[in-house]
Amino acid sequence: MVEELVAAGATVGSVAVVYAMAAARVIKQYERGVVLRLGKLQHGVRGPGFTMVVPFVDRLRKVNMQIVTMPVPAQDGITRDNVTVRVDAVIYFKVVDAAEAVVQVEDYRFAVSQMAQTSLRSIIGKSDLDDLLSNREQLNQGLELMIDSPAIGWGVQIDRVEIKDVSLPETMKRSMARQAEADRERRARVINADAELQASKKLAEAAHEMAEEPAALQLRLLQTVVAVAAEKNSTLVLPFPVELLRFLERAQQALPQQQQPAVAPDSGAGNAEGGEPAPAPGAKTGQD
């Protein structure tokens, strides 16, 4: 009798151990457990830690609640301005309702991936090439709204969508390069023309100042000579200052006026017709 009780106890203990091993589940911190009992969803999502289920009756589905980073395959499309492009993106999402993610959609990862590809092609067709290249932030927001609208019913929240790369045909790249080069050349010419205009205005002002003070021109000439002579690698020919020549010319004209003698006053003697002068007293004339 005792042996039978011991055997029965051992059998019950073995069954209990097997039952415990079959019923025991461990849910990690970043996971949530959804229990389906005979195919029916049980209320209440199991939290992280140790939990028990009914073997062969309950089915536990673990759902990862971490943020998932999913690359969106590159999509070929034609923009609104008829340019063929190839765009790829990356999407960040997470599950906010584990029960909805299990019940409402068969595979929420695959569903989000397909929705992201469809939305990306739609964004390409609605946008211009310039928007894809320079206005990506607004396109990312629009793409996020397009994906997040149906994903809310799946218990999934879209955190962020980023367009990674926009590939262009080689012909379009060359055309854009030529356009950019022409634009840079245009700006360079405008800058040079503006510099020439400012320089001409400054030179005109300097010319007016030098016209009022001719000596300023000679000072500027001497400054230029000093700047050129500092190199010491060329022969310098110094022109004779024009102002010095003008000074000598004025001095030469003033010198004869200073050396001319004073004229004696007219005594009234002499020929009335301006002929010979009157003879001196005591001189013999031809009538004697």
Side-chain angles (χ1 to χ4, degrees):
M1 185 66 180
V2 177
E3 295 179 355
E4 294 178 357
L5 291 177
V6 172
T11 303
V12 173
S14 300
V15 172
V17 171
V18 172
Y19 179 83
M21 294 179 60
R25 297 289 187 275
V26 176
I27 301 176
K28 298 179 181 179
Q29 181 66 37
Y30 53 85
E31 295 177 339
R32 297 296 182 270
V34 178
V35 178
L36 298 174
R37 179 166 296 174
L38 297 177
K40 184 178 180 179
L41 177 66
Q42 296 297 306
H43 297 287
V45 178
R46 304 291 177 91
F50 181 80
T51 185
M52 298 287 290
V53 296
V54 179
F56 309 109
V57 176
D58 293 345
R59 183 180 178 186
L60 181 65
R61 293 280 302 272
K62 297 180 181 180
V63 180
N64 193 334
M65 307 297 289
Q66 292 177 314
I67 295 178
V68 180
T69 303
M70 178 181 294
V72 181
Q75 301 296 314
D76 294 327
I78 300 177
T79 61
R80 190 167 57 182
D81 50 354
N82 298 325
V83 179
T84 303
V85 295
R86 186 179 180 88
V87 182
D88 58 349
V90 60
I91 180 172
Y92 303 88
F93 69 93
K94 65 180 179 179
V95 177
V96 294
D97 191 340
E100 293 291 333
V102 172
V103 175
Q104 297 297 330
V105 62
E106 180 181 3
D107 186 353
Y108 66 90
R109 291 174 179 265
F110 180 74
V112 171
S113 177
Q114 294 299 313
M115 180 58 65
Q117 296 180 36
T118 305
S119 301
L120 183 58
R121 286 194 296 268
S122 179
I123 284 292
I124 293 174
K126 295 179 181 179
S127 305
D128 294 332
L129 179 60
D130 294 338
D131 294 335
L132 289 175
L133 296 177
S134 60
N135 196 14
R136 293 188 181 182
E137 188 65 28
Q138 184 176 359
L139 295 180
N140 293 337
Q141 295 177 0
L143 188 59
E144 179 180 348
L145 291 176
M146 294 179 64
I147 302 175
D148 192 48
S149 298
I152 293 177
W154 304 336
V156 177
Q157 178 183 353
I158 306 300
D159 283 352
R160 191 171 182 83
V161 182
E162 293 284 347
I163 296 177
K164 293 196 301 183
D165 188 24
V166 178
S167 300
L168 300 175
E170 292 298 329
T171 55
M172 179 58 64
K173 291 181 180 179
R174 289 193 293 268
S175 299
M176 295 176 64
R178 289 194 298 268
Q179 179 183 0
E181 184 179 357
D183 184 67
R184 288 194 297 268
E185 185 177 358
R186 177 184 62 83
R187 286 184 292 178
R189 290 183 178 180
V190 170
I191 293 174
N192 290 334
D194 185 60
E196 292 292 338
L197 177 61
Q198 295 180 7
S200 63
K201 291 181 179 180
K202 294 299 182 181
L203 290 175
E205 294 177 2
H208 287 299
E209 293 294 333
M210 290 182 180
E212 295 179 359
E213 296 292 339
L217 182 60
Q218 299 303 321
L219 294 177
R220 187 70 185 95
L221 176 61
L222 294 177
Q223 292 177 356
T224 305
V225 170
V226 171
V228 174
E231 299 296 332
K232 299 180 180 180
N233 57 359
S234 59
T235 302
L236 180 63
V237 179
L238 181 64
F240 197 80
V242 179
E243 294 298 327
L244 183 57
L245 293 177
R246 292 178 180 176
F247 174 76
L248 295 177
E249 182 180 359
R250 289 194 299 267
Q252 187 67 24
Q253 292 176 359
L255 184 59
Q257 295 180 1
Q258 295 177 0
Q259 294 179 354
Q260 184 176 2
V263 180
D266 190 5
S267 61
N271 192 1
E273 296 179 358
E276 297 178 356
K284 293 182 179 182
T285 62
Q287 296 178 357
D288 295 339

